[in-house]
Amino acid sequence: MTRASLAPPYRLLFCDLRSDQLLDVLPVSGVSLDDYIGKTGRLTGTVPIPNRKIADRARRALVPGRTGVWVERGRDIWWGGILWTLSLGSDQRGFLGAQVQCGGWESYLYRRLLYDTQVAVQVDQLDIARGLIDYVQNTPGGDIGITYDPLTSGVLRDRTYLRYDLPAVGDLLDDLAAVEGGFEWRIASFRDTDGRRVKRLQLGYPKITTGATDIVLDHPGAVLSYTWPTDATQKANAWQSRGATVNSNQAADSYPLTSELLVDDVDVAAGWPRLDGTSDYTTVERQDTLNAHARADWSTARNPVVIPEVEVLLGGQITPALLGATVRLRIRDLWHPDVLDARYRVVGMSITPPERGRPETAKLYLEVP
């Protein structure tokens, strides 16, 4: 018996997005799903249409923009999101299949715009984030059942979001989280102790962390393969950000607000060439807020980005609940003859369910904690 046949079965539950009422459970092949901290996850797959009965069921259940999708592994919820794209196709032999593309629950927040000005004065940044979620869900038809915890950060912010800018709520959350001293956010999917499916806004200050002990991953061993890219294309040791165009004198030329110019003199003295970077925050009108954005972006850009990717077998401690957890990675090979032994935080996971003898695996995306 293969390891794939021993894995708990996967099911895709198709539900009404607003009420979460179950519409149907349909077979899906070629499933691929991923989830991240700081990025919207995605699910793709194909619903085979072998007969008229399945076609009728699929037509009722698969409504892009209106259908919610939950992925069950055994009795556990491993992913949740919204069906956004349905593509019906027929091959040369006449076999029909409905390809589905779904985005995590976060994708809904990028489809919702702010039509009413919101003002926060010395409010905890996590309360501002929850207020944006409340704004989304308090509008008619806007409640998709996102819940949250009362965690606070102790960091107070002043924010004015103008209705004239028509910003997407997801973008506002990203900008609020990305400022110096910010936080991380995602919407987690799971089943609570009462068996109910839950969409929970997960906020982490300064980062989302889970688990009390490290999970040890060895190569050779539990790690089947790994990729270790080092990317300096986005490195910058000098930085300036641009904000909104502020001009009270209509007769004068208009220029955007700019942050202080930040230069890492130590980096240049150490031999690095001067590498410039910039970012735009077209709705930011306060100098201190723009400076905080610039410092956060500059801090991220100064060191080449390294995001290792390791492939492991699923099961045991390797589940989607690992997002935010710390793993201890140990690698011995030609590149690491003295053994790499370091701790990393899991910031993303891409899952490949078992199919036709293929083992159940996951790719973990890591960052230095």
Side-chain angles (χ1 to χ4, degrees):
M1 185 175 291
T2 66
R3 184 182 180 95
S5 64
L6 293 173
Y10 283 74
R11 296 201 315 163
L12 266 64
L13 313 181
F14 296 97
C15 302
D16 178 76
L17 178 59
R18 289 173 56 184
S19 68
D20 202 40
Q21 179 180 353
L22 181 65
L23 300 173
D24 212 331
V25 180
L26 294 169
V28 181
S29 63
V31 173
S32 175
L33 62 101
D34 50 46
D35 205 356
Y36 303 92
I37 294 173
K39 177 182 173 183
T40 302
R42 194 173 73 121
L43 177 144
T44 60
T46 300
V47 177
I49 311 294
N51 54 56
R52 185 182 297 274
K53 182 178 179 181
I54 295 295
D56 291 341
R57 289 170 55 189
R59 267 197 304 269
R60 289 192 294 268
L62 305 181
V63 183
R66 184 168 176 172
T67 298
V69 181
W70 300 89
V71 178
E72 275 190 339
R73 181 182 184 270
R75 285 294 297 163
D76 296 325
I77 295 292
W78 272 34
W79 192 89
I82 301 170
L83 171 63
W84 288 114
T85 302
L86 174 67
S87 180
L88 184 66
S90 174
D91 63 18
Q92 293 180 345
R93 293 176 294 176
F95 293 138
L96 281 175
Q99 296 180 349
V100 296
Q101 293 190 24
C102 311
W105 306 120
E106 298 91 345
S107 62
Y108 179 66
L109 302 178
Y110 296 93
R111 299 295 303 274
R112 292 298 310 278
L113 304 181
L114 200 74
Y115 290 111
D116 303 281
T117 296
Q118 305 289 304
V119 179
V121 179
Q122 290 298 284
V123 176
D124 191 286
Q125 59 184 350
L126 302 190
D127 284 328
I128 297 176
R130 284 185 286 264
L132 291 170
I133 297 297
D134 287 340
Y135 174 83
V136 166
Q137 299 205 125
N138 287 337
T139 55
D143 187 356
I144 65 168
I146 300 172
T147 62
Y148 49 69
D149 293 321
L151 174 72
T152 57
S153 66
V155 178
L156 306 183
R157 305 282 189 199
D158 296 336
R159 288 292 184 274
T160 298
Y161 300 128
L162 298 176
R163 65 184 181 88
Y164 308 103
D165 296 323
L166 291 178
V169 170
D171 290 334
L172 294 180
L173 285 167
D174 287 340
D175 288 347
L176 180 64
V179 75
E180 184 181 38
F183 57 94
E184 290 182 335
W185 71 279
R186 62 183 291 260
I187 300 178
S189 302
F190 59 93
R191 195 184 298 280
D192 66 15
T193 54
D194 295 324
R196 292 172 297 196
R197 297 182 292 267
V198 177
K199 312 177 185 96
R200 177 69 51 82
L201 174 67
Q202 189 177 4
L203 299 169
Y205 172 76
K207 294 181 179 294
I208 293 173
T209 57
T210 59
T213 59
D214 294 353
I215 296 172
V216 179
L217 300 175
D218 290 297
H219 180 73
V223 176
L224 304 176
S225 63
Y226 74 85
T227 303
W228 207 280
T230 301
D231 183 5
T233 59
Q234 301 301 315
K235 177 181 170 64
N237 46 31
W239 197 272
Q240 190 168 55
S241 296
R242 292 177 295 187
T245 299
V246 180
N247 183 9
S248 57
N249 183 357
Q250 299 295 326
D253 293 334
S254 297
Y255 299 100
L257 184 69
T258 56
S259 72
E260 56 188 327
L261 178 61
L262 303 167
V263 180
D264 189 344
D265 295 323
V266 174
D267 203 47
V268 174
W272 280 94
R274 169 73 174 259
L275 299 169
D276 298 324
T278 185
S279 52
D280 290 305
Y281 296 92
T282 57
T283 62
V284 174
E285 298 181 355
R286 291 174 56 101
Q287 186 70 57
D288 57 345
T289 301
L290 185 61
N291 287 342
H293 274 298
R295 289 191 297 269
D297 294 343
W298 180 56
S299 177
T300 299
R302 273 183 291 176
N303 296 312
V305 177
V306 179
I307 303 180
E309 171 190 316
V310 300
E311 184 180 21
V312 297
L313 292 173
L314 272 175
Q317 295 176 298
I318 309 298
T319 74
L322 202 60
L323 281 180
T326 301
V327 299
R328 181 181 174 190
L329 183 61
R330 300 187 300 201
I331 297 177
R332 179 192 290 274
D333 57 16
L334 294 176
W335 194 272
H336 307 95
D338 298 324
V339 182
L340 169 74
D341 190 341
R343 299 171 70 247
Y344 296 90
R345 188 171 68 111
V346 180
V347 295
M349 179 180 294
S350 178
I351 296 173
T352 303
E355 192 169 296
R356 295 181 182 177
R358 181 185 63 194
E360 185 181 30
T361 60
K363 290 182 180 179
L364 308 181
Y365 302 94
L366 311 176
E367 73 167 16
V368 177

